[in-house]
Amino acid sequence: VQLQASGGGLVQPGGSLRLSCLTSERTFTTHILGWFRQAPGKERDFVSAITKSGVTYYTSSVKGRFTISRDDAKNTVYLQMNSLRPGDTAVYYCAAANPRKGITPPYDVREQYDLWGQGTLVTVSS
């Protein structure tokens, strides 16, 4: 498994969760890493991405609430989610995109990503 997501769970509105995505060293050092989410009955949508140099991108609905980061020593990318809302309920997927394929920022297109992890469910409910 090249990408392994974890950290989902049940949280009350206004609460926080931190998702983790462990990757292989090769993937971590060569790819752009991103998070997508899929709510029941909806498409899989972009949430956030981070480049090898640490440049970050966010969808507008999570700006100021979510923070993506990477730990080079652990080959892990994180998604810190604060001020969670019921609308954030979804299965969250981590993914990796190869920049050598000529993809361009803000890396928010699902087809740009060629490696996917299993999802982790986040439920925001009181």
Side-chain angles (χ1 to χ4, degrees):
V1 178
Q2 296 199 47
L3 299 165
Q4 188 170 2
S6 62
L10 173 63
V11 62
Q12 292 187 342
S16 298
L17 278 176
R18 188 179 78 161
L19 305 183
S20 301
C21 179
L22 175 65
T23 78
S24 68
E25 181 177 1
R26 179 180 176 85
T27 297
F28 189 83
T29 57
T30 60
H31 282 59
I32 294 156
L33 300 170
W35 288 96
F36 284 71
R37 65 186 179 185
Q38 187 167 17
K42 295 190 176 182
E43 297 291 318
R44 189 174 300 186
D45 293 329
F46 172 77
V47 177
S48 182
I50 187 167
T51 68
K52 293 181 290 182
S53 58
V55 179
T56 60
Y57 303 88
Y58 299 93
T59 191
S60 57
S61 63
V62 308
K63 282 182 181 177
R65 300 190 298 124
F66 291 12
T67 302
I68 191 170
S69 62
R70 50 191 294 152
D71 186 329
D72 292 353
K74 296 182 178 180
N75 297 329
T76 299
V77 61
Y78 301 101
L79 186 68
Q80 177 67 44
M81 305 185 296
N82 299 327
S83 302
L84 282 161
R85 307 165 179 168
D88 295 317
T89 295
V91 177
Y92 284 71
Y93 297 89
C94 60
N98 189 343
R100 295 180 181 179
K101 293 187 176 180
I103 58 176
T104 56
Y107 310 114
D108 58 352
V109 177
R110 182 178 171 180
E111 287 74 18
Q112 292 178 314
Y113 293 78
D114 48 9
L115 298 173
W116 291 86
Q118 91 289 1
T120 185
L121 176 63
V122 173
T123 303
V124 184
S125 175
S126 55

